[in-house]
Amino acid sequence: MANTLLKISGLKVAYGGIKAVKGVDLEVREGELISLIGSNGAGKTTTMKAVTGSLAFEAGDIEYMGKSIKGKGAWDLVKQGLAMVPEGRGVFTRMTITENLQMGAYIRTDKAGIAHDIDKMFGIFPRLRERKDQLAGTMSGGEQQMLAMARALMSQPKVLLLDEPSMGLSPIMVDKIFEVVRDVSAQGVTILLVEQNARRALQIADRGYVMDSGEIIMTGIGREMLDDPKVRAAYLGE
Ligand SMILES: Nc1ncnc2c1ncn2[C@@H]1O[C@H](COP(=O)(O)OP(=O)(O)OP(=O)(O)O)[C@@H](O)[C@H]1O
Ligand SMILES: [Mg+2]
């Protein structure tokens, strides 16, 4: 069995008196594409933020490549190969597409490699090449999502965390985003995907987790979960 890259155990996170994550266990092995689904307010984003070091946790632990990330900052973790595309994308709106991609490579010093990878991103997302000198803030939502993903990939991550990449996008853009997630996964990047689009997320996942009110209430093989009557009723609208 492949190495475990991320191991979340007994994770608890609270915002003041609000317990947002109440003892979550979740594991991501090398090469896997894991989907974490669940309704609004379930605690998915909070879990992701704890993993990337941008939110402190009060109990439990998160291990990345066998070592606790406790106390490590986001910068340190990106350097070690953990990249996140946040909910709402967070591209640098006053910078051009190319500048955004360069920012994504801020932890790297190999100039030629960076230029090569920017070109590679333009190959994956031709729309970004067409707009390379345009300010990111003038791009459509779907285009900004593509840019956010490309920017994260510029850090050459081992593990890519995606928080609702399909949110607010047109059906065509949603198709494109899921296609890219699958391609990136096929190229060997390990992925933890948070999605409200449970059907699509479970279709492409190796394994899935369902989160509800701060807890993991179900886990299994992605495609098998699609056939689970409880998942169908609660998350697929059937
Ligand atoms: N900064 C904050 N301060 C206080 N409470 C927060 C904060 N961020 C999140 N919460 C609360 O924590 C709970 C979990 O929120 P979280 O954003 O992790 O959910 P989510 O599963 O990502 O939901 P969504 O699908 O809507 O993005 C919610 O009840 C939310 O209101
Ligand atoms: Mg969220």
Side-chain angles (χ1 to χ4, degrees), residues 54-230:
S54 51
L55 199 59
F57 46 94
E58 61 180 44
D61 201 8
I62 301 173
E63 285 180 9
Y64 173 54
M65 295 197 297
K67 284 198 191 121
S68 175
I69 67 151
K70 197 149 199 162
K72 286 197 178 143
W75 159 278
D76 209 14
L77 292 169
V78 171
K79 250 182 144 163
Q80 290 178 49
L82 202 62
M84 170 152 169
V85 179
E87 210 173 6
R89 294 138 206 164
V91 299
F92 302 112
T93 55
R94 289 159 170 278
M95 290 186 182
T96 67
I97 307 313
T98 304
E99 287 164 349
N100 266 273
L101 294 176
Q102 285 162 345
M103 287 299 287
Y106 69 99
I107 56 162
R108 298 169 59 183
T109 50
D110 55 324
K111 276 213 168 110
I114 292 170
H116 172 268
D117 281 354
I118 288 181
D119 206 56
K120 188 169 150 193
M121 292 309 140
F122 288 159
I124 301 173
F125 304 102
R127 182 70 61 89
L128 298 183
R129 190 195 299 275
E130 290 165 21
R131 310 277 161 101
K132 65 186 169 59
D133 299 319
Q134 189 172 317
L135 292 183
T138 63
M139 304 261 284
S140 75
E143 291 165 349
Q144 288 190 29
Q145 183 61 53
M146 290 179 189
L147 177 59
M149 276 173 80
R151 190 181 62 185
L153 288 171
M154 287 300 297
S155 69
Q156 300 180 308
K158 269 198 206 27
V159 180
L160 183 61
L161 306 171
L162 299 168
D163 197 353
E164 306 215 20
S166 81
M167 186 159 64
L169 304 185
S170 69
I172 290 174
M173 283 293 188
V174 171
D175 285 349
K176 174 74 186 169
I177 291 292
F178 276 99
E179 199 180 293
V180 170
V181 171
R182 240 192 9 222
D183 287 351
V184 169
S185 163
Q187 283 167 29
V189 178
T190 303
I191 297 178
L192 177 56
L193 170 69
V194 163
E195 261 295 333
Q196 293 254 344
N197 191 331
R199 184 188 312 274
R200 303 293 293 270
L202 291 176
Q203 271 168 354
I204 63 168
D206 294 307
R207 294 186 300 115
Y209 289 85
V210 180
M211 194 164 184
D212 185 36
S213 305
E215 292 173 294
I216 299 293
I217 55 164
M218 211 183 291
T219 179
I221 305 293
R223 292 195 157 269
E224 289 176 11
M225 291 174 78
L226 278 174
D227 295 328
D228 187 303
K230 276 181 292 187

Side-chain angles (χ1 to χ4, degrees), residues 15 18 20 38-46 87 164 196:
Y15 299 100
I18 301 169
S39 39
N40 291 118
K44 306 180 297 296
T45 297
T46 303
E87 210 173 6
E164 306 215 20
Q196 293 254 344

